[in-house]
Amino acid sequence: MKRENFELLAPAGDLEKLKIAIIYGADAVYFGGEMFSLRAGAGNLSIDEMKEGIRFAHERGKRCYLTINIFAHNEDIGPLTDYLEQIKNIGIDAFIVSDPGIVDLIQEIIPDAEIHLSTQANMTNFRTARFWHKMGVKRLVLARELTFTEIKEIRKNIPSDMEVEAFVHGAMCISYSGRCLLSNFMIERDANRGMCAQPCRWKYSLVEEKRPGEYYPVEEDERGTYILNSRDLCMIEHLDKIVESGIMSAKVEGRMKSVFYVATVIHAYRQAIDAYFSDPARYEFKAEWLTELKKVSHREFTTGFYFDKPTNQDQNYQTSAYTREYSFVGIVKSYDSATGYAVVEQRNKMTLGDEIEVFGPDIPFFKQALESMYDAESGEPLESAPHPQQVLRIKMDQPVKENYILRKAIRRSEI
């Protein structure tokens, strides 16, 4: 496979994340509109924001995909029809869809639309893939329950013009291809219509019906148990196997994650992909890429189903909390090379004397002590910056650019 035929696909929960994903190396982004997406809790994009984001991406030769992957009920069809009429001419490159009725509706309203089959459709065999090809689907977003062996067999037995995409990084769902009824059952929030409350991450104990209020741990552990709590998928150590399996789009999960998450994860995978395609025969994984991924909030990692069915080692029974070792403290808005000062928008508290790390899409990170900081509006010198999105002037040890990110290791006292 040639480099230009392989895609790094990033989540874009809002317009800022869309732009950051592209700046940090994504070849394409996927996002939801204000309705009909399976991430109702994400910021999502208004039609005007989609227009701006699509323009930003296309100017840089990147692609934009809109997720309309709910399982629609009758009352959704009318509003969805109106919505498609509003967005049909704004330049969306493809629609990610799981419901065959919605596939048909999009093709009716936007005849030349490119359709990608969502992972929610749980596509697991080449016969089903061929069916969707006949229905006009261009790309398959594979079910997460497939091994490399199965993926290679699907690739071998489908038309050559049909593309294969798969998740390589991010949260895993305990239910088959994410089609879960637990949230709906427990608190009437329908995961299949974008409102999942993630009850799989809750802490569970056992109660005997005649002893209400008496909770017994399911396992012999004083911390309780998280019987449905999957580890996070991470395939950066096996990027070569991803490419060689026939997958042409490596998808990162995380439309509800932070700008810091998007920048860090996309930057790490961008480096791995570029290293592989520069010389596939001599490609070697670099531990520093995995180290970078661990600097954003994450659960322990797993390779999911890629090598075999997951075992009890792929679940986290102790806690549903994230591992969080670094804090996203700011993003560069501009830099004055004459003075060495950057204008920085604060995202979390930082204090004089803190050691910070600075990274960008075109540099390895560097460390420096935070020795000089001023309020950008008043010019007042500051000891700390505790106010959300406070605009600061910070002395930088090395030149920086707009959208470089500042982070710092979290002290135990801050956890």
Side-chain angles (χ1 to χ4, degrees), residues 128-367:
T128 302
R130 291 174 186 172
F131 164 81
W132 284 113
H133 185 262
K134 292 176 184 176
M135 297 299 104
V137 170
K138 169 75 171 177
R139 181 185 296 185
L140 304 169
V141 187
L142 298 176
R144 302 186 199 210
E145 293 79 17
L146 294 173
T147 65
F148 276 129
T149 300
E150 292 173 300
I151 292 168
K152 289 176 182 177
E153 187 173 2
I154 288 172
R155 176 67 273 175
K156 184 173 65 175
N157 287 283
I158 62 176
S160 60
D161 64 342
M162 194 171 212
E163 299 172 348
V164 174
E165 173 183 312
F167 281 94
V168 298
H169 194 91
M172 295 281 284
C173 182
I174 195 67
S175 293
Y176 202 85
S177 293
R179 298 178 70 165
C180 183
L181 298 176
L182 190 59
S183 178
N184 204 349
F185 174 76
M186 297 185 78
I187 57 171
E188 298 183 350
R189 284 175 53 177
D190 191 345
N192 297 313
R193 299 175 84 184
M195 295 175 284
C196 183
Q198 292 197 325
C200 56
R201 308 294 182 187
W202 297 352
K203 182 178 179 180
Y204 289 92
S205 297
L206 182 68
V207 176
E208 198 277 322
E209 65 176 341
K210 294 183 180 179
R211 293 175 174 81
E214 295 185 29
Y215 300 98
Y216 302 92
V218 179
E219 291 190 320
E220 294 180 6
D221 190 314
E222 70 278 4
R223 291 169 292 190
T225 186
Y226 299 84
I227 55 178
L228 305 177
N229 184 39
S230 173
R231 296 186 179 194
D232 283 356
L233 180 66
C234 178
M235 291 298 292
I236 198 164
E237 294 179 80
H238 310 286
L239 194 279
D240 52 343
K241 295 179 178 64
I242 291 288
V243 179
E244 291 158 11
S245 72
I247 293 167
M248 57 71 58
S249 179
K251 188 171 191 175
V252 173
E253 182 273 342
R255 279 191 282 148
M256 296 178 68
K257 301 289 180 66
S258 69
V259 165
F260 178 39
Y261 174 93
V262 172
T264 304
V265 174
I266 295 304
H267 189 223
Y269 276 90
R270 175 80 279 146
Q271 292 178 82
I273 291 167
D274 289 348
Y276 174 84
F277 281 102
S278 68
D279 192 348
R282 297 184 181 180
Y283 171 77
E284 291 184 3
F285 167 74
K286 293 184 179 179
E288 65 197 53
W289 301 331
L290 183 59
T291 300
E292 281 294 290
L293 291 177
K294 290 180 177 179
K295 290 182 178 180
V296 295
S297 294
H298 65 281
R299 302 179 184 93
E300 292 181 72
F301 290 137
T302 174
T303 55
F305 288 78
Y306 277 105
F307 293 99
D308 204 347
K309 291 182 179 179
T311 68
N312 61 348
Q313 298 303 308
D314 296 280
Q315 299 293 110
N316 186 346
Y317 298 109
Q318 281 73 48
T319 178
S320 63
Y322 286 98
T323 298
R324 186 167 173 262
E325 298 176 349
Y326 278 75
S327 177
F328 170 32
V329 294
I331 185 167
V332 174
K333 294 300 181 180
S334 64
Y335 176 70
D336 185 346
S337 58
T339 64
Y341 275 87
V343 174
V344 174
E345 183 179 274
Q346 183 261 31
R347 294 300 175 94
N348 280 290
K349 183 179 179 180
M350 49 185 151
T351 303
L352 288 186
D354 284 345
E355 182 179 73
I356 59 173
E357 293 183 2
V358 183
F359 77 99
D362 54 353
I363 61 163
F365 74 87
F366 66 88
K367 296 181 180 181

Side-chain angles (χ1 to χ4, degrees), residues 37-201:
S37 160
L38 284 184
R39 290 294 181 271
N44 295 322
L45 279 72
S46 68
I47 294 176
D48 284 342
E49 287 173 329
M50 279 194 273
K51 290 177 180 177
E52 181 178 343
I54 291 167
R55 182 169 58 251
F56 182 90
H58 287 178
E59 286 172 352
R60 292 158 179 79
K62 312 301 182 182
R63 287 164 57 84
C64 293
Y65 309 145
L66 176 65
T67 58
I68 305 183
N69 55 350
I70 64 165
F71 290 97
H73 290 237
N74 290 332
E75 65 264 26
D76 296 316
I77 301 302
L80 177 55
T81 301
D82 294 339
Y83 186 68
L84 290 171
E85 289 287 353
Q86 294 177 61
I87 63 172
K88 66 181 181 181
N89 295 317
I90 68 173
I92 293 165
D93 294 293
F95 296 83
I96 304 172
V97 188
S98 54
D99 187 311
I102 296 180
V103 171
D104 183 59
L105 182 61
I106 292 173
Q107 291 172 333
E108 180 181 304
I109 296 173
I110 314 173
D112 60 348
E114 182 173 314
I115 305 294
H116 296 177
L117 187 71
S118 171
T119 191
Q120 297 294 124
N122 53 281
M123 209 300 304
T124 56
N125 67 82
F126 62 80
R127 291 288 308 195
T128 302
R130 291 174 186 172
F131 164 81
W132 284 113
H133 185 262
K134 292 176 184 176
M135 297 299 104
V137 170
K138 169 75 171 177
R139 181 185 296 185
L140 304 169
V141 187
L142 298 176
R144 302 186 199 210
E145 293 79 17
L146 294 173
T147 65
F148 276 129
T149 300
E150 292 173 300
I151 292 168
K152 289 176 182 177
E153 187 173 2
I154 288 172
R155 176 67 273 175
K156 184 173 65 175
N157 287 283
I158 62 176
S160 60
D161 64 342
M162 194 171 212
E163 299 172 348
V164 174
E165 173 183 312
F167 281 94
V168 298
H169 194 91
M172 295 281 284
C173 182
I174 195 67
S175 293
Y176 202 85
S177 293
R179 298 178 70 165
C180 183
L181 298 176
L182 190 59
S183 178
N184 204 349
F185 174 76
M186 297 185 78
I187 57 171
E188 298 183 350
R189 284 175 53 177
D190 191 345
N192 297 313
R193 299 175 84 184
M195 295 175 284
C196 183
Q198 292 197 325
C200 56
R201 308 294 182 187

